[in-house]
Amino acid sequence: MSGETIGMLLAITSGMLSLVGLISIFISMNSQHNVQRSREILWSIFTLPYKKNLFLEKGAIGQEVFRTFLLYEQIINEKNTFLRRIISFAQITLTFCGLIWTTIVGYLLKQSFSSVERSILLFCVILADIFVLYFIIKIFGLLTSTSKVGRLPTVNELLDADILTAGSNIITLASVSSQLKIVNSEIYIGFPIPFKNLMVHISIQDTVESSESPVEKNYNFDLVNGIKDFKKLDYREFKLLDDDYCYYPIYDLSAFEKGVAQNSIFAKVELLSKQGYVSTEFYFEGLLTVNNTNFVIYPYSFIERFINRKSELDPFSRYIKRSGKSIDKETEWFNTGKSFLALFDEE
């Protein structure tokens, strides 16, 4: 192999690498657009439960949650065939360049070089091949996934109420977008999408005076003693009734059958996960009978407690840090539920 041949091969690889550089700029711009759009949607998801006049339009929050999650899913899981072909072309080009460099160095190693020069050549080609493999497998491989490029949660991770990520408030989102559906004597809780790892408990109180406002009532927060009454919902076993919500049976109104005539019923639904605890209040009146009924009740207020936001501004996060607890064990605290109050009992 002559010097002119080696020079020509190196010139070819230089041109191919320049082309790969231009391709990389195009891929980065395209990926950055999807990442930025996905991040904006993610921010809107996290701020949904705190919109002004949230419960004025009955059922609107559920429709908004479904629409936003669907849009996020479409962007995150977008399959751009043209972009994948460009990435494959760049990977093949880099592989070809690596082969040329290895061939040239292999030829030069057969020449009469000193051991030091041979070691330098061998080290350089190995290092170059490692960089080529890294770009082929790691860099260009990740560019096909919007979630990996932007370090954004996948759709399955976003639906999981046990995953502790910065700003994640899926349990609150599930709570405010929920609705109760009464079919005959059965109460179902419904969500616009199948959230994962939710524990639910409902308490029903029959208010004798229908005009009495449930907002003024005082219901004690006793999570430690009530944790055993929570039921874990299996997101794979939801039911479809007469709409697109995911429904789970959680209560039987038969016990109130004799006492609900012209009375109002106040329901408090508590949701629990590793992200925290949220209670949502429902109020409905004029229930003449629990038989032959089929209607929906929407929430009118919610309360968050011990939501893990992983922020220096969050009081609960600061309290955990001040208590000297190991961050690696936080999932164990949230899993038991009792740990919420156990932290405060130590004071």
Side-chain angles (χ1 to χ4, degrees):
M1 185 182 295
S2 63
E4 290 79 4
T5 304
I6 294 176
M8 181 61 68
L9 290 176
L10 291 177
I12 292 174
T13 57
S14 297
M16 296 175 69
L17 290 177
S18 299
L19 182 60
V20 170
L22 294 175
I23 290 174
S24 301
I25 294 174
F26 167 77
I27 296 173
S28 298
M29 292 178 62
N30 184 82
S31 300
Q32 184 59 35
H33 174 73
N34 287 343
V35 168
Q36 185 61 31
R37 180 59 178 148
S38 301
R39 189 170 287 120
E40 291 174 357
I41 296 174
L42 195 62
W43 290 336
S44 68
I45 289 175
F46 290 158
T47 57
L48 271 176
Y50 313 106
K51 282 188 173 181
K52 187 178 180 181
N53 301 324
L54 178 68
F55 298 117
L56 289 184
E57 297 183 25
K58 303 300 184 182
I61 180 64
Q63 297 174 6
E64 182 68 13
V65 168
F66 179 79
R67 185 194 68 82
T68 308
F69 270 82
L70 186 63
L71 182 60
Y72 184 81
E73 180 189 39
Q74 291 173 346
I75 296 177
I76 287 292
N77 297 335
E78 181 184 11
K79 306 296 182 182
N80 193 326
T81 305
F82 178 68
L83 182 62
R84 289 178 179 273
R85 289 177 180 175
I86 294 178
I87 293 175
S88 298
F89 173 76
Q91 291 172 324
I92 293 173
T93 303
L94 286 176
T95 303
F96 185 68
C97 290
L99 290 175
I100 291 178
W101 296 337
T102 304
T103 302
I104 293 175
V105 172
Y107 169 77
L108 293 176
L109 288 176
K110 296 179 181 179
Q111 307 303 314
S112 57
F113 289 108
S114 64
S115 59
V116 175
E117 290 175 329
R118 289 185 179 184
S119 299
I120 293 175
L121 282 174
L122 188 60
F123 173 78
C124 290
V125 73
I126 292 176
L127 187 63
D129 288 342
I130 290 175
F131 276 116
V132 167
L133 287 175
Y134 178 79
F135 270 85
I136 291 174
I137 298 174
K138 187 69 175 179
I139 303 299
F140 284 107
L142 292 179
L143 287 176
T144 59
S145 174
T146 302
S147 62
K148 292 180 181 179
V149 172
R151 295 185 177 180
L152 300 170
T154 63
V155 176
N156 287 331
E157 291 173 344
L158 196 57
L159 293 175
D160 196 338
D162 271 354
I163 293 182
L164 306 176
T165 57
S168 183
N169 58 345
I170 300 306
I171 187 171
T172 304
L173 196 65
S175 181
V176 300
S177 63
S178 64
Q179 62 186 34
L180 296 182
K181 190 176 187 66
I182 299 182
V183 180
N184 295 329
S185 63
E186 192 78 30
I187 295 184
Y188 295 83
I189 185 170
F191 305 99
I193 46 181
F195 295 105
K196 299 179 181 179
N197 294 318
L198 287 177
M199 297 178 65
V200 63
H201 175 257
I202 183 173
S203 55
I204 302 292
Q205 296 207 6
D206 181 16
T207 58
V208 178
E209 298 181 9
S210 60
S211 59
E212 186 177 1
S213 172
V215 182
E216 302 299 330
K217 288 183 173 292
N218 180 24
Y219 297 97
N220 294 327
F221 178 71
D222 191 8
L223 183 60
V224 169
N225 296 324
I227 188 69
K228 61 182 180 298
D229 297 326
F230 278 75
K231 171 187 177 183
K232 188 166 186 178
L233 302 179
D234 189 343
Y235 71 98
R236 296 164 296 188
E237 298 181 357
F238 65 86
K239 296 182 179 181
L240 287 178
L241 299 180
D242 55 357
D243 54 29
D244 294 334
Y245 265 58
C246 305
Y247 286 102
Y248 307 87
I250 56 173
Y251 196 83
D252 191 346
L253 273 176
S254 299
F256 289 90
E257 185 173 2
K258 297 181 180 180
V260 298
Q262 298 181 349
N263 288 338
S264 302
I265 293 180
F266 172 76
K268 182 174 72 171
V269 176
E270 301 167 283
L271 294 180
L272 181 66
S273 75
K274 292 180 183 178
Q275 290 183 359
Y277 167 92
V278 181
S279 66
T280 313
E281 296 176 337
F282 297 79
Y283 182 68
F284 47 100
E285 58 183 349
L287 182 62
L288 299 178
T289 177
V290 297
N291 295 319
N292 300 320
T293 57
N294 189 338
F295 59 93
V296 175
I297 305 100
Y298 300 100
Y300 70 86
S301 68
F302 73 96
I303 300 175
E304 293 179 305
R305 296 181 188 270
F306 311 116
I307 300 298
N308 181 13
R309 297 181 178 88
K310 284 189 175 180
S311 169
E312 289 295 327
L313 300 177
D314 179 56
F316 188 49
S317 298
R318 279 179 171 258
Y319 193 93
I320 292 176
K321 186 176 181 180
R322 192 183 74 191
S323 301
K325 301 294 184 180
S326 173
I327 299 299
D328 296 333
K329 296 181 180 180
E330 63 185 349
T331 55
E332 298 176 6
W333 309 337
F334 285 92
N335 192 37
T336 60
K338 297 180 180 180
S339 57
F340 291 146
L341 300 182
L343 285 173
F344 295 90
D345 291 338
E346 294 179 359
E347 287 293 298

